Amino acid sequence: GIAAAPSAHAAVEPDIDSTAEWGARPPNGTNPVIWGSPDKLIVHHTVSANTEDFSREQAHAHAHWVQDLHMDGNGWRDSGYNFVVSRGGWITEGCTGSLPALLDGDRFVQGIHTAGQNTQGIGISNEGSYHEGAEPPAAQWEALVTLCAYACEQYAIPSSEIYGHMDFGSTLCPGIFHERLPRLRDEVERARDL
């Protein structure tokens, strides 16, 4: 096809550590690739400890924790989320193949994050537990906004199509992030118009 000219309103490409960079296990089998674009982003939290370790090493350790929980605990083929944002603002690729798909913008990997939505939505989770009134650190929030803005731009998703896990099922996930969805949508819209 013919490459589109770069938009004058380009969202910033976030720094995302690939599964190779953080040393993920290979998936059990093949992660399904869906050609075309997802129609929404779905925000989650991982319900891990609200660590004060904001290092990249902690982000990688947490990515391993999520993958082990999902593969060994839940019996899933891979980490269920497409991307995970650490409390320190580091972003890791979750489900293997999600990062190159995002960068190309012509496909996405079917995650395992929201019943009934995995073939339509990208799952973005946040390190920590946010259903007891905890606030996400500023670095985490900023990285979430940057990642969502970039994903919305790559896939031509309106910022109005950013949801929380609880919009699609009986869950407390994503805690305070759900109450902040209007702010997230507004900040994503602004990030796309810079």
Side-chain angles (χ1 to χ4, degrees):
I2 298 167
S7 165
H9 304 294
V12 174
E13 181 183 323
D15 182 13
I16 303 173
D17 288 346
S18 69
T19 49
E21 286 175 288
W22 63 262
R25 296 155 57 183
N28 287 327
T30 305
N31 285 330
V33 173
I34 299 171
W35 290 92
S37 294
D39 62 13
K40 64 180 70 77
L41 304 181
I42 304 173
V43 177
H44 300 261
H45 66 157
T46 66
V47 199
S48 59
N50 288 344
T51 179
E52 294 301 314
D53 182 348
F54 293 169
S55 69
R56 191 174 215 151
E57 292 71 26
Q58 167 57 26
H60 290 187
H62 177 258
H64 281 285
W65 178 84
V66 169
Q67 189 183 41
D68 290 347
L69 177 70
H70 288 177
M71 291 180 76
D72 302 333
N74 298 356
W76 296 348
R77 63 182 142 75
D78 200 349
S79 180
Y81 308 119
N82 297 97
F83 301 98
V84 179
V85 183
S86 82
R87 285 176 52 84
W90 302 100
I91 305 170
T92 51
E93 178 185 23
C95 213
T96 302
S98 297
L99 179 55
L102 172 67
L103 295 175
D104 288 347
D106 59 1
R107 65 192 186 282
F108 65 104
V109 171
Q110 182 181 330
I112 316 148
H113 53 85
T114 309
Q117 296 296 320
N118 295 317
T119 58
Q120 292 105 44
I122 291 282
I124 298 173
S125 199
N126 294 277
E127 176 189 18
S129 298
Y130 296 101
H131 43 40
E132 301 299 329
E135 293 281 335
Q140 183 175 38
W141 179 260
E142 289 162 18
L144 176 65
V145 170
T146 301
L147 175 58
C148 288
Y150 185 73
C152 283
E153 188 149 287
Q154 287 295 93
Y155 291 127
I157 300 170
S159 54
S160 58
E161 297 300 306
I162 301 174
Y163 297 95
H165 187 183
M166 68 172 63
D167 288 320
F168 303 103
S170 179
T171 176
L172 295 174
C173 179
I176 198 168
F177 285 99
H178 198 268
E179 298 156 37
R180 285 186 168 204
L181 286 173
R183 177 179 160 192
L184 180 60
R185 294 177 191 121
D186 287 347
E187 290 189 28
V188 163
E189 196 58 34
R190 282 204 299 276
R192 294 177 74 182
D193 289 337
L194 291 175

